[in-house]
Amino acid sequence: MSRDFQGLNRRLAAAQPSATYRIIDRVAARRAEGATIISLCAGEPDFDTPAHIRQAAIAAIDAGHTRYTQVAGLRVLREAVAAKFRDENGLQADWESTLVCSGGKQVIYNALAATLNEGDEVIIPAPYWVSYPEMVQLCGGHSRIVTCGADSGFKLTAQALQSAIGADTRWLILNSPSNPTGAVYSREELRALADVLLEHPQVLVLSDDIYEHLIFDRAEFHTIAQVEPRLAERTLTMNGVSKAYAMTGWRIGFATGPRWLLEAMEKLQGQQTSGACSISQHAAVAALRGPKDFIRESREVFQRRRDFMVAMLNDTPGIRCDMPAGAFYAFADCSALIGKVSPGGRGLFSDEDAAHALLDEASVAVVPGSAFGLDGYIRIAYALDDASLHAACEAIRSFCLKTK
Ligand code: GLU
């Protein structure tokens, strides 16, 4: 068949490829050509998966756990997931009210695909993680983007939520700590959002808690179904092992929520991928049931990196960066560079131009803020060793000093 054949699904044709993966792929291509790039674009911990988790996976292979599992996940993992939601989040979960998927992404996609009909709206506070609006598009829904700028700490206020909700609103997506800003919602902020949601019983809530454990300065993590238990019957609380246990490649995400929704998602998954990888599921049991020192240690490392990165960025002409409270991203305002000319002579007309010029001229890869729904910013992932982060900040600084 011709490469030009255009018989694509309309929803897919209208969707954008993943903005993060587009840049990750561009970095890989440049490296294959021999370039040395410091990549601050991939949102994944740079640590190895802890040894006891790797050992559990090897033991699972040796024990012959290499076959299909139940679609919804191994019972032993679902029990561990339910215990995690009960013990760490105060949610009323049992193993039957959980679902295991191939990564957090599949949890979100399954939830939207299982529920959205033509015309349904999904409220997405911006800046948002790049895949939310595209998943909504793929599932036939309509994204209602609510811009939450630096003045509101990049967070959705109760007032903004109230004005965005309409008769067609089906979902609200919350993500705290946030990718890309690192913003963390306090209990009071979630309480205020919950009060609005209680008045609108048709709205489901998707709480993407994947960065739960990466929270700094002794701030406390809260999730909305815990803050307002009356919302639990229409909240899908989603999490996974990727960020907490440095297990991005193992592809294990999970959720708890209303049974009708989990059953619909399981039905979809049964026709699509079946259960998640059996070996990864055994590894995830070891992660959830095993020692938690790794979580504390990695949090300390990320906090230290955050502190020097943000200080170095704020010492760079043309860049301004608020202190993120969680995750491992700095969302830096680069609007002062827009309208100027890069050291290599390129006109910088957008944050995308700035990100491209940084890659080509300073060999540092970042993701433009516009990919996350807010122009004039760049997202810098500080999930890399200290020396590389220092070198990247120096390269950004030298690029900015020569931008006129
Ligand atoms: N969540 C990570 C990021 O934002 C991984 C890439 C992706 O799935 O988008 O960079």
Side-chain angles (χ1 to χ4, degrees):
M1 189 164 294
S2 148
R3 284 185 64 196
D4 298 331
F5 179 67
Q6 291 290 313
L8 287 180
N9 170 275
R10 270 195 302 277
R11 293 173 181 171
L12 179 66
Q16 296 299 317
S18 162
T20 41
Y21 275 98
R22 242 184 11 231
I23 297 177
I24 293 168
D25 290 348
R26 194 176 302 146
V27 170
R30 295 286 314 277
R31 283 178 174 159
E33 291 161 10
T36 303
I37 310 279
I38 304 180
S39 176
L40 309 179
C41 61
E44 63 175 339
D46 52 312
F47 313 117
D48 289 335
T49 303
H52 70 279
I53 301 175
R54 301 199 305 266
Q55 286 308 322
I58 293 165
I61 296 174
D62 289 342
H65 297 311
T66 51
R67 301 192 165 82
Y68 293 134
T69 71
Q70 294 91 328
V71 169
L74 291 168
R75 174 154 174 180
V76 62
L77 176 55
R78 295 175 73 192
E79 281 170 354
V81 166
K84 175 256 174 296
F85 282 127
R86 283 195 307 268
D87 301 346
E88 295 184 353
N89 307 120
L91 302 179
Q92 284 194 342
D94 57 29
W95 71 274
E96 286 172 295
S97 60
T98 64
L99 179 70
V100 176
C101 298
S102 300
K105 254 174 157 162
Q106 197 189 19
V107 175
I108 302 168
Y109 190 89
N110 280 353
L112 296 172
T115 51
L116 288 180
N117 286 302
E118 242 29 84
D120 284 346
E121 280 198 355
V122 179
I123 296 178
I124 305 178
Y128 47 71
W129 175 49
V130 295
S131 289
Y132 298 144
E134 306 308 324
M135 287 185 185
V136 170
Q137 155 67 27
L138 288 169
C139 296
H142 175 74
S143 294
R144 173 86 193 243
I145 306 295
V146 182
T147 302
C148 308
D151 50 340
S152 65
F154 302 115
K155 287 186 267 190
L156 181 70
T157 61
Q159 203 181 10
L161 174 61
Q162 181 70 277
S163 7
I165 293 183
D168 294 331
T169 308
R170 187 79 169 122
W171 282 97
L172 163 68
I173 300 184
L174 288 175
N175 173 218
S176 171
S178 149
N179 176 4
T181 66
V184 175
Y185 285 78
S186 68
R187 172 180 273 280
E188 294 68 36
E189 287 163 342
L190 290 174
R191 175 73 263 158
L193 295 177
D195 287 341
V196 175
L197 289 162
L198 285 173
E199 291 167 29
H200 300 276
Q202 86 281 13
V203 182
L204 298 164
V205 186
L206 199 160
S207 185
D208 177 349
D209 298 353
I210 197 78
Y211 296 95
E212 166 182 11
H213 291 293
L214 293 171
I215 193 159
F216 309 130
D217 304 323
R218 296 176 195 281
E220 263 184 56
F221 172 80
H222 300 284
T223 193
I224 196 155
Q226 170 195 31
V227 171
E228 178 45 87
R230 281 178 291 173
L231 287 178
E233 63 185 24
R234 52 187 167 108
T235 298
L236 187 73
T237 305
M238 173 252 144
N239 214 314
V241 292
S242 294
K243 310 292 175 4
Y245 301 94
M247 292 178 70
T248 46
W250 301 75
R251 310 310 301 131
I252 296 291
F254 44 75
T256 188
R259 288 281 177 92
W260 66 266
L261 176 59
L262 295 168
E263 280 167 17
M265 292 164 67
E266 180 183 347
K267 178 171 154 189
L268 178 63
Q269 188 162 304
Q271 298 293 9
Q272 182 198 43
T273 52
S274 304
C277 166
S278 58
I279 300 151
S280 298
Q281 289 193 57
H282 283 279
V285 172
L288 293 175
R289 294 216 164 135
K292 297 285 177 276
D293 328 19
F294 176 81
I295 292 180
R296 185 183 39 77
E297 286 159 17
S298 62
R299 184 194 297 133
E300 284 167 10
V301 171
F302 281 127
Q303 179 162 336
R304 188 172 45 70
R305 289 177 182 170
R306 174 201 66 164
D307 290 346
F308 77 72
M309 284 291 290
V310 170
M312 287 182 85
L313 289 167
N314 279 326
D315 201 28
T316 299
I319 303 281
R320 214 189 48 75
C321 187
D322 292 334
M323 187 62 92
F328 39 62
Y329 305 109
F331 199 60
D333 183 336
C334 67
S335 55
L337 300 178
I338 315 287
K340 296 193 172 169
V341 177
S342 75
R346 295 188 197 191
L348 304 178
F349 301 108
S350 64
D351 54 9
E352 214 171 319
D353 289 345
H356 283 166
L358 273 169
L359 178 58
D360 293 342
E361 300 176 27
S363 298
V364 174
V366 298
V367 187
S370 45
F372 304 93
L374 197 65
D375 295 350
Y377 287 82
I378 48 174
R379 186 193 78 171
I380 298 170
Y382 48 89
L384 211 55
D385 62 277
D386 291 11
S388 303
L389 292 176
H390 271 106
C393 285
E394 290 300 342
I396 295 173
R397 190 174 149 75
S398 152
F399 173 94
C400 290
L401 279 169
K402 293 187 217 138
T403 294
K404 302 284 178 209

